[in-house]
């Protein structure tokens, strides 16, 4: 059984293990920073098994009125395909249903993870900005 919970404090070893399981090397270089980011988020929802093992998490940056930005959604690689990511995202979609914008950024379709990520979000009813007549902008990603 998987239990979802809102959490606000984080164990560095546990967070490292989760992020490392999906190959998020940029994040695992400074796990203390990741834990501070998680603690400073509007909401962090975790998924744990009956033994308390962290299976996944999702975190938001939000004003809780107009916009909710899902900064991260990840599930331990060993548990992919079991509906955990879906449950986490559906929880957030319900929690922030009153917001005008519910946004997520993911890998481009041309990357190795892109096609699976895009298919996952589309199955949950999400569509790309350009399909809504919108655009999103950001500064070029640079390696720290």
């Amino acid at each position: 059984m998987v239990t979802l919970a809102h959490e606000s404090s984080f164990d560095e070893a546990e967070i490292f293990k989760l992020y490392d399981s999906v190959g998020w090397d940029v994040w695992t270089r400074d796990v203390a920073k990741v834990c501070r980011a998680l603690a400073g988020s509007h909401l962090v929802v975790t998924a744990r098994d009956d033994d308390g093992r962290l299976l996944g998490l999702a975190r938001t940056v939000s004003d809780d009125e107009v916009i909710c930005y899902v900064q991260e959604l990840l599930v331990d690689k060993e548990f992919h395909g079991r509906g955990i990511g879906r449950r986490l995202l559906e929880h957030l979609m319900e929690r922030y249903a009153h917001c005008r914008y519910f946004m997520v950024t993911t890998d481009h379709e041309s990357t190795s993870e892109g096609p699976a990520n895009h298919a996952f979000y589309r199955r949950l009813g999400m569509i790309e900005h350009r399909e809504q007549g919108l655009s999103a902008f950001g500064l070029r990603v640079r390696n720290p």
Side-chain angles (χ1 to χ4, degrees):
M1 183 170 171
V2 175
T3 303
L4 301 187
H6 297 185
E7 295 189 30
S8 58
S9 61
F10 306 94
D11 176 76
E12 287 185 19
E14 186 176 56
I15 294 301
F16 178 89
K17 183 176 179 186
L18 177 63
Y19 282 70
D20 187 55
S21 80
V22 293
W24 287 16
D25 300 339
V26 172
W27 298 98
T28 57
R29 288 183 204 152
D30 189 348
V31 177
K33 185 176 192 174
V34 173
C35 288
R36 289 191 305 273
L38 290 168
S41 298
H42 189 258
L43 180 68
V44 177
V45 181
T46 59
R48 294 184 180 275
D49 66 13
D50 289 338
D51 295 325
R53 177 179 175 185
L54 181 63
L55 306 178
L57 69 77
R59 79 174 178 112
T60 64
V61 178
S62 178
D63 58 20
D64 206 15
E65 292 292 337
V66 177
I67 188 162
C68 172
Y69 181 78
V70 180
Q71 171 58 36
E72 283 144 47
L73 171 65
L74 65 158
V75 174
D76 187 306
K77 193 88 164 174
E78 181 182 336
F79 295 91
H80 282 190
R82 298 187 189 185
I84 297 168
R86 171 183 283 277
R87 282 191 58 202
L88 287 164
L89 193 59
E90 286 176 341
H91 178 84
L92 294 178
M93 291 166 79
E94 182 178 319
R95 164 63 179 81
Y96 292 98
H98 61 281
C99 290
R100 178 179 173 126
Y101 298 105
F102 185 86
M103 301 171 51
V104 107
T105 299
T106 193
D107 295 321
H108 189 268
E109 286 179 300
S110 65
T111 66
S112 62
E113 300 290 327
N117 290 351
H118 284 239
F120 171 76
Y121 291 116
R122 285 188 182 281
R123 282 193 305 272
L124 289 165
M126 299 183 82
I127 59 175
E128 290 190 62
H129 280 42
R130 64 180 160 74
E131 295 173 54
Q132 300 178 67
L134 301 170
S135 292
F137 292 89
L139 296 175
R140 183 172 303 277
V141 175
R142 55 188 168 84
N143 291 328

